């Protein structure tokens, strides 16, 4: 049986979710390493909330983020940085963060869950790397392309400032975030350059000048940074010969011609009320690109509203069907969001 997924009709925001739902076999949980489930749920929950809120915010260039704009959110990065911040928070700040970020009551379990998730992602890279074949080798392998999932955390703190030792130890041991002393007071602009250079290096030059030259001041004492770089081949790659120009309906009354990849074969697929779900695994099969496609024209916004972390998890493992997929090639570089503004709107004052 061949099912054909209709081409996207409305694409005013897109959630590219690396669904964090590793099974027990790949996690290999022990009594010393709690499940990554709590961290995964908090990450997916915040990601969906930010996606919904992004349609009503203001970008760094002052323009309004309209509901028809593309949105690209990395909730793993955001939650990791905020979880490190949470480790040093107390009082009302701590209460607001726990509520907005969907953190549980047991902080120890929370941090252990993030540690388990970080180790699981490290294992994903190790397992996928074994499937890569050097270009001059005749050995059997599924791909010639490298699999890269690089996550890096770091604390940039004012030199000579007395940070609590337990806080620095926790962020180092759990989040792999070493502390780097820097002089915001003596040379703020040089401090900005140092942080931006580190981010640029960790993201293979994809993110440059993350912090504006005037983004920090002499009053800055700590900057927590998370950088993620992900590049991976599909488990089953699209053939260039099958990529062709097809009509893509950007909005109800606007259509463009765009290079569209086409592939027929077994894929994870399910139909639900109001949308279809399709999973494209990356090399190794432990990470996947999950597409949630509205069943009818102009229903993407309506589909986003009831979307929950539970919905993502329920579509993490889909029954394999024979599918013909038309997937537009796309590149997203949406305006930066003022995250602080959005978080305040969610109740983190």
């Amino acid at each position: 049986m061949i099912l054909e997924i209709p081409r996207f009709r409305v694409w005013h925001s897109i959630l590219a979710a690396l669904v964090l739902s590793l099974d027990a076999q790949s996690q290999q949980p022990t009594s010393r390493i709690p499940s990554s489930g709590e961290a995964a749920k908090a990450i997916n929950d915040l990601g969906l909330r930010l996606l919904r809120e992004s349609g009503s915010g203001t970008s760094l260039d002052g323009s309004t983020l309209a509901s028809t704009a593309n949105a690209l959110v990395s909730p793993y990065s955001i939650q990791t940085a905020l979880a490190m911040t949470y480790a040093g928070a107390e009082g009302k700040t701590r209460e607001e963060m726990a509520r907005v970020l969907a953190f549980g009551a047991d902080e120890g379990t929370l941090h252990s869950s993030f540690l388990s998730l970080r180790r699981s992602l490290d294992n994903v890279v190790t397992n996928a790397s074994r499937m890569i074949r050097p270009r001059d080798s005749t050995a059997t392998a599924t791909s010639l392309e490298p699999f890269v999932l690089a996550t890096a955390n770091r604390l940039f703190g004012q030199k000579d400032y007395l940070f609590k030792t337990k806080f620095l130890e926790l962020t180092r041991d759990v989040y792999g975030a070493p502390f780097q002393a820097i002089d915001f007071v003596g040379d703020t602009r040089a401090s900005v350059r140092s942080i931006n250079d580190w981010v640029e290096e960790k993201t293979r030059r994809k993110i440059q000048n993350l912090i504006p030259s005037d983004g920090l001041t002499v009053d800055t004492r700590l900057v927590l940074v998370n950088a993620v770089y992900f590049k991976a081949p599909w488990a089953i790659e699209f053939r260039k010969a099958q990529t062709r120009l097809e009509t893509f309906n950007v909005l109800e009354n606007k259509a463009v011609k765009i290079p569209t990849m086409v592939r027929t074969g077994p894929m994870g697929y399910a139909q639900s009320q109001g949308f279809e779900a399709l999973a494209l695994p990356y090399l190794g099969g432990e990470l996947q690109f999950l597409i949630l496609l509205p069943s009818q024209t102009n229903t993407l916004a309506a589909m986003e509203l009831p979307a929950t972390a539970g919905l993502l998890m329920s579509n993490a493992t889909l029954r394999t069907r024979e599918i013909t997929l038309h997937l537009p090639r796309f590149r997203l570089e949406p305006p930066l969001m003022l995250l602080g503004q959005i978080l305040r709107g969610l109740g983190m004052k």
Side-chain angles (χ1 to χ4, degrees):
M1 178 179 182
I2 296 181
L3 301 173
E4 181 167 348
I5 294 185
R7 290 181 288 275
F8 301 121
R9 293 191 171 88
V10 179
W11 192 10
H12 67 210
S13 58
I14 187 166
L15 174 65
L18 294 180
V19 180
L20 306 171
S21 58
L22 302 167
D23 59 30
Q25 199 170 32
S26 62
Q27 272 189 47
Q28 296 180 341
T30 69
S31 58
R32 293 179 293 104
I33 305 178
S35 168
S36 59
E38 181 174 342
K41 183 180 184 303
I43 288 168
N44 288 331
D45 179 78
L46 181 64
L48 290 168
R49 295 177 72 188
L50 291 177
L51 184 68
R52 287 191 287 267
E53 293 294 323
S54 66
S56 58
T58 303
S59 68
L60 289 179
D61 61 8
S63 61
T64 300
L65 293 170
S67 59
T68 55
N70 288 324
L72 180 63
V73 179
S74 177
Y76 175 71
S77 296
I78 295 168
Q79 276 287 41
T80 298
L82 289 175
M84 290 191 290
T85 310
Y86 181 69
E90 60 183 21
K92 189 170 181 62
T93 297
R94 178 185 174 85
E95 294 174 5
E96 290 178 352
M97 292 186 74
R99 183 171 62 254
V100 173
L101 302 176
F103 290 163
D106 188 335
E107 183 176 354
T109 300
L110 172 74
H111 295 310
S112 295
S113 186
F114 271 93
L115 174 59
S116 178
L117 177 57
R118 185 165 68 87
R119 289 176 172 172
S120 295
L121 293 176
D122 289 342
N123 288 335
V124 167
V125 177
T126 300
N127 295 338
S129 297
R130 296 193 182 108
M131 305 178 71
I132 304 298
R133 179 181 65 202
R135 293 187 180 277
D136 59 351
S137 171
T138 57
T140 301
T142 59
S143 176
L144 297 175
E145 294 296 321
F147 184 105
V148 182
L149 173 57
T151 63
N153 300 312
R154 182 153 297 192
L155 306 186
F156 295 91
Q158 175 63 35
K159 68 175 186 178
D160 302 326
Y161 189 84
L162 297 179
F163 294 98
K164 292 185 177 181
T165 302
K166 286 186 177 181
F167 170 73
L168 298 182
E169 289 176 346
L170 186 147
T171 53
R172 180 197 63 203
D173 297 340
V174 173
Y175 296 94
F179 177 83
Q180 180 175 330
I182 206 164
D183 190 6
F184 299 111
V185 177
D187 195 338
T188 307
R189 289 183 179 272
S191 299
V192 170
R193 287 196 299 271
S194 295
I195 297 174
N196 285 343
D197 288 347
W198 181 84
V199 172
E200 185 174 332
E201 176 195 352
K202 295 301 180 181
T203 61
R204 310 302 199 272
R205 298 182 60 82
K206 294 297 183 182
I207 299 179
Q208 302 180 28
N209 301 317
L210 175 67
I211 301 177
S213 59
D214 59 350
L216 304 177
T217 72
V218 295
D219 295 322
T220 302
R221 291 295 174 268
L222 181 66
V223 176
L224 299 92
V225 182
N226 169 275
V228 174
Y229 179 83
F230 177 61
K231 180 180 181 180
W234 302 112
I236 301 177
E237 297 182 344
F238 291 88
R239 295 181 179 178
K240 289 184 178 180
Q242 291 183 290
T243 297
R244 53 181 181 259
L245 286 177
E246 293 188 1
T247 300
F248 179 85
N249 295 292
V250 182
L251 296 171
E252 184 178 5
N253 298 315
K254 182 180 178 181
V256 296
K257 290 287 187 179
I258 188 171
T260 302
M261 303 181 294
V262 181
R263 197 181 85 200
T264 297
M267 305 176 208
Y269 176 79
Q271 280 186 308
S272 187
Q273 187 171 1
F275 71 92
E276 297 168 274
L278 182 134
L280 285 177
Y282 292 102
L283 181 68
E286 293 185 274
L287 291 182
Q288 62 184 3
F289 184 83
L290 178 65
I291 299 171
L292 302 182
L293 176 71
S295 298
Q296 299 178 2
T297 304
N298 293 332
T299 58
L300 183 56
M303 185 191 74
E304 288 175 354
L305 288 175
T308 63
L311 177 69
L312 289 180
M313 298 298 281
S314 66
N315 286 282
T317 304
L318 299 176
R319 179 184 174 188
T320 300
R321 308 287 294 273
E322 190 75 10
I323 299 292
T324 296
L325 171 67
H326 297 251
L327 181 65
R329 291 176 55 184
F330 62 89
R331 179 188 179 97
L332 291 182
E333 292 188 69
L336 293 174
M337 293 183 291
L338 291 175
L339 183 60
Q341 174 180 301
I342 294 177
L343 291 175
R344 282 192 294 272
L346 292 175
M348 211 168 91
K349 307 296 184 181

